[in-house]
Amino acid sequence: MTIMMDESENTGSESEGGALIVRSNWEGYLKEFATAVGVWDELGCGFDNWKKFLVSVCAGNTVENEILDWHPENYLPHNSDSSKLAILGPNRLSQHSEPWTNFEAKYLECGEPIYEITFSKGG
C-alpha cells in the first residue's frame, strides 16, 4: 500500500484542501479502507481532522506519547468541518502509469494491477 498526501489544492493552511491518495495491488483492501473512512465521515469527524490524524500516524506518533488518540469521537467536539468526504475509486491504473514505489514499478512491469482511491473534501 502506498499513501500520498496531495496538497496541490491547498489554500494556505496545512489542514485545508488537498487530497489523500491510496494505492494498492489489492482492490479489496482499498474497498475496506473506503468503508473505514466512511464510518469516520458518518461520525461527523470531517476531512481536515482525518488528515491531521493520518499525518500524525505517518509521523510515527503513538498513543503512548499522548500526541494522538485514534478514536474519532475525540475529534467531534473540535470539528468545524461539516463537509462530507468525496471518495473516487478504487480505479485500476493504466499499465503506463507512473509508479510511486519500486513495488509498483515491479507490479506494473509484470502486469499486476495497481488500484488507486482518492479521498478529498466534499462540496
Side-chain angles (χ1 to χ4, degrees):
M1 177 183 72
T2 306
I3 297 178
M4 180 182 83
M5 292 290 221
D6 177 6
E7 296 295 335
S8 61
E9 299 173 32
N10 202 328
T11 59
S13 169
E14 180 180 308
S15 66
E16 295 177 4
L20 175 79
I21 302 168
V22 183
R23 286 183 174 180
S24 176
N25 66 320
W26 184 35
E27 184 181 20
Y29 176 79
L30 294 180
K31 289 178 179 177
E32 290 176 9
F33 194 89
T35 299
V37 170
V39 170
W40 178 277
D41 196 38
E42 287 175 19
L43 288 171
C45 297
F47 183 70
D48 291 343
N49 286 330
W50 188 60
K51 275 181 54 180
K52 287 177 192 176
F53 171 75
L54 287 175
V55 167
S56 183
V57 169
C58 291
N61 298 327
T62 64
V63 173
E64 290 79 29
N65 67 21
E66 299 183 33
I67 293 174
L68 114 87
D69 190 356
W70 70 270
H71 201 279
E73 288 179 359
N74 294 322
Y75 290 87
L76 286 172
H78 308 291
N79 181 26
S80 61
D81 175 16
S82 60
S83 64
K84 291 291 187 182
L85 289 169
I87 302 173
L88 178 63
N91 298 309
R92 184 175 177 165
L93 297 180
S94 158
Q95 290 300 117
H96 305 290
S97 296
E98 185 68 31
W100 290 350
T101 66
N102 290 337
F103 284 109
E104 285 186 6
K106 176 180 76 171
Y107 293 149
L108 290 169
E109 186 177 315
C110 72
E112 177 78 19
I114 302 289
Y115 299 92
E116 177 178 280
I117 191 165
T118 302
F119 303 92
S120 61
K121 188 184 289 190

